[in-house]
Amino acid sequence: MSRGACDIRKVVTVVDEVLLELGRPVATQVRRVAVAAVLRNPWAGRGFVADLQPEVEAVAPELAQLLTGKLIDALGGVDRVEAFGKAAVVGLDGEIEHGGALIHTPYFGNVLRELTEGTSIIVFSDDRLPAGEPLTVPLWHKTAAATRSHYQTVQIRVPDAPRPDELVVVAAAASGPRPNARIGDRRTDPAVRLADLEKLESAR
């Protein structure tokens, strides 16, 4: 499948819904989704390319729109997106910088953020891996990145990708917090310093 500047071979969507945690029903039922596009690495076979910008401008916005659209559909609407993340996996013949070029610039990140109505910096992961290896994508709150309840991950694996000359680009999101999140929040945490911890230890 080819879409404009993107030479896309396949799109894979993973949906995860946790209903029980340690046998206890979750307080908030959450859907986590990761959508991955498998595409030919636009810099494959060209050796070291000093200027990645032309391909970034041509490929990244189209990828962001495709992946984010499928992400929103899988979650049931943009208002269901509470946390987001992004990732890239580079095939063994590519550079880590190739994956970074497609997800770490405004041509991808700003589009994903605008379409999901987010304001936070988008948390990410990237790696160079052989085909079939799993990738864990971190997520956090789309408008309040310090909201600890929404720190979570979703894992995706494409059995036949990336091939050595391919990239896998991922957009991910969740409709709510971790299962039964209960470790507080930065807005309500006490101030903790090493000196305070030493006093607690000596009092025990």
Side-chain angles (χ1 to χ4, degrees):
M1 178 173 69
S2 182
R3 296 175 57 92
C6 298
D7 191 4
I8 295 173
R9 179 164 66 86
K10 66 193 302 183
V11 177
V12 176
T13 301
V14 172
V15 179
D16 178 282
E17 294 180 89
V18 177
L19 307 179
L20 297 173
E21 188 78 352
L22 280 180
R24 183 186 183 94
V26 295
T28 303
Q29 192 170 322
V30 172
R31 175 174 288 191
R32 294 178 297 191
V33 178
V35 183
V38 179
L39 64 149
R40 194 187 73 82
N41 184 335
W43 301 285
R46 296 170 55 187
F48 178 82
V49 178
D51 183 8
L52 306 179
Q53 192 71 5
E55 291 79 11
V56 169
E57 292 179 9
V59 175
E62 188 175 328
L63 269 180
Q65 291 177 71
L66 169 68
L67 295 177
T68 309
K70 290 184 176 294
L71 196 63
I72 290 170
D73 287 346
L75 282 172
V78 69
D79 58 322
R80 295 277 293 157
V81 179
E82 290 192 14
F84 57 19
K86 60 185 179 180
V89 186
V90 183
L92 295 182
D93 288 349
E95 290 183 67
I96 290 289
E97 188 70 358
H98 296 161
L102 291 185
I103 67 170
H104 292 323
T105 70
Y107 296 95
F108 186 91
N110 283 11
V111 174
L112 191 160
R113 190 164 27 246
E114 182 176 341
L115 291 174
T116 57
E117 299 178 358
T119 56
S120 297
I121 292 173
I122 305 169
V123 66
F124 72 93
S125 64
D126 51 28
D127 210 341
R128 179 170 46 228
L129 296 168
E133 289 296 312
L135 181 72
T136 299
V137 186
L139 310 174
W140 62 28
H141 201 288
K142 71 176 185 180
T143 60
T147 304
R148 194 177 293 128
S149 61
H150 286 62
Y151 293 173
Q152 57 194 303
T153 60
V154 60
Q155 191 174 82
I156 188 165
R157 171 182 173 271
V158 183
D160 65 344
R163 294 171 181 170
D165 63 347
E166 289 183 329
L167 291 156
V168 178
V169 176
V170 183
S175 63
R178 290 188 314 278
N180 299 333
R182 57 192 187 279
I183 58 171
D185 190 278
R186 289 188 181 186
R187 294 168 297 184
T188 57
D189 283 346
V192 177
R193 299 169 301 171
L194 285 173
D196 299 323
L197 298 175
E198 289 168 1
K199 288 178 183 177
L200 284 172
E201 186 64 28
S202 62
R204 289 175 181 163

